[in-house]
Amino acid sequence: MSRALLKFVRLSPTKARLVAREIQGMNAEKALAALEFTPNKAAKIISKVLASAVANGGYEADNVFIASCRVDAGPVLRRFTPRAKGRATPIRKPTSHVFVEVAEKKDIQQKEVKRGRKVERVGEDS
């Protein structure tokens, strides 16, 4: 099992989670292909983190599955813009921490058996 973590990326966590849920449990090679054609900023960033996680373990992309893909909220950069009558309104610039963990199919099955889950559904492609 190998993992990669990208911290403090200027990306909204709620928008990034939509992409992260799409690739959860997929084969890494298919996930990289799907992310390449997804027109989101989050897809490009998650694709790079996924490629890094695969390389960190020394795996080939077609032999591993995504065990976990998580996007956590980072600190929010607060800026202010001037408004009428001397007021100012806040602008929130959110950041995210992207975590991707990949594993071979046998590792995922062993993990699922320890948790008491069915093994048949592990690593299935939809």
Side-chain angles (χ1 to χ4, degrees):
M1 214 182 313
S2 66
R3 57 186 66 158
L5 176 64
L6 176 64
K7 296 177 80 173
F8 304 108
V9 63
R10 267 285 290 121
L11 179 68
S12 173
T14 51
K15 293 177 183 178
R17 284 183 191 123
L18 295 173
V19 177
R21 285 191 194 115
E22 289 290 321
I23 64 166
Q24 193 92 23
M26 285 178 73
N27 180 309
E29 186 177 29
K30 290 183 180 180
L32 285 170
L35 289 172
E36 185 179 350
F37 296 104
T38 304
N40 285 347
K41 179 180 179 181
K44 185 175 180 181
I45 292 169
I46 291 174
S47 173
K48 288 183 180 181
V49 178
L50 175 58
S52 178
V54 171
N56 286 344
Y59 299 121
E60 292 293 325
D62 55 347
N63 297 335
V64 292
F65 289 86
I66 301 170
S68 174
C69 184
R70 194 175 71 218
V71 180
D72 298 326
V76 177
L77 303 174
R78 293 185 58 95
R79 303 291 183 255
F80 293 93
T81 186
R83 300 306 290 252
K85 299 183 179 179
R87 295 187 183 123
T89 56
I91 296 175
R92 297 178 70 250
K93 296 189 174 210
T95 61
S96 301
H97 305 313
V98 181
F99 175 81
V100 177
E101 187 175 40
V102 297
E104 292 179 315
K105 190 172 183 178
K106 60 181 178 172
D107 295 337
I108 296 174
Q109 288 175 343
Q110 290 170 355
K111 189 176 179 182
E112 294 292 324
V113 168
K114 287 180 184 176
R115 290 182 181 173
R117 296 182 181 166
K118 292 182 183 177
V119 179
E120 292 82 30
R121 66 183 181 86
V122 175
E124 290 180 356
D125 294 331
S126 43

